[in-house]
Structures are given as structure tokens and as C-alpha cells.
Amino acid sequence: EPPTYLLLRKYCSGFSRLRDFDPNTRICVTSTPLEPIAAFTMANAGLVSNNSAILDLYAGSATSLLAAAGLAPECTTVGIERDGDWLVNFTHISSDFVSRDLRPPHMIRGDSW
């Protein structure tokens, strides 16, 4: 069974980077960004670990994937975004990860149906 981490445990053990994931610090932000605390809560509830593979069917600016990678830097992250207007810039998403020393997600432009 993979080890589980609670955000409180991670925060108390030195994970003080939560503010680094705030939309105000992001390069790629959509009109309705997911707040970091919600994204980290979902990653914790999903028991994300370094050997996890995370798929976000409606990735947007990839906040959920960023939170998962923040908790488990070796996890594999994949996002699907159907943005037909090209408002979500995949290069900016990649830059958000790289600027935090995290491995960028594999992004797919398409519909998740």
C-alpha cells in the first residue's frame, strides 16, 4: 500500500510552498482557476504518490496536476484540455512546472469523451 500524506503533515514537515501555487504566481491562469488548497486536498484524497499516474480530463491551467506533482514530484501527470479557442497555452503550463522544479505534464488538446 502506498504511503499516504496529509497536507497538514506535508506542510508541518517543511512543505511551505503552498503559496507558490497561488494563481497570482502562475504563468498560465484561466478565467476560473482552481484554488491551490482545493487542488492539494484532491491530490491528498487521491493518495498521490511518486509512482502514481494522474489523468486530468478537464485540465484547464493544470492546477490539479501541479498540486499532484508538488506532493509527489516523480508522479506522471497527463492533462486533456479541449479549449478550442486556444486560450490555454500549453507552453505556459510547462513553464509553471519547470519554474517550480517539477516535471511538466503531458498535455493533450482534445475532448475527453
Side-chain angles (χ1 to χ4, degrees):
E1 182 174 324
T4 59
Y5 298 98
L6 296 174
L7 181 57
L8 183 58
R9 276 194 214 145
K10 290 292 275 184
Y11 189 78
C12 291
S13 66
F15 188 76
S16 59
R17 295 177 39 187
L18 184 60
R19 68 181 166 277
D20 294 342
F21 292 83
D22 188 275
N24 295 331
T25 68
R26 301 279 307 279
I27 298 165
C28 183
V29 180
T30 59
S31 59
T32 56
L34 183 62
E35 288 297 320
I37 193 68
F40 278 98
T41 299
M42 290 190 314
N44 277 297
L47 304 177
V48 172
S49 65
N50 279 325
N51 61 352
S52 295
I54 310 301
L55 173 63
D56 188 346
L57 298 176
Y58 304 96
S61 61
T63 304
S64 297
L65 298 176
L66 190 61
L71 289 177
E74 298 300 315
C75 73
T76 300
T77 54
V78 178
I80 300 174
E81 178 52 47
R82 69 172 220 157
D83 175 32
D85 295 328
W86 297 82
L87 299 174
V88 177
N89 186 315
F90 287 0
T91 302
H92 289 170
I93 289 172
S94 197
S95 296
D96 273 330
F97 280 73
V98 171
S99 70
R100 290 162 175 82
D101 296 323
L102 300 171
R103 186 174 38 185
H106 304 282
M107 294 297 295
I108 300 165
R109 193 170 303 276
D111 207 330
S112 57
W113 310 41

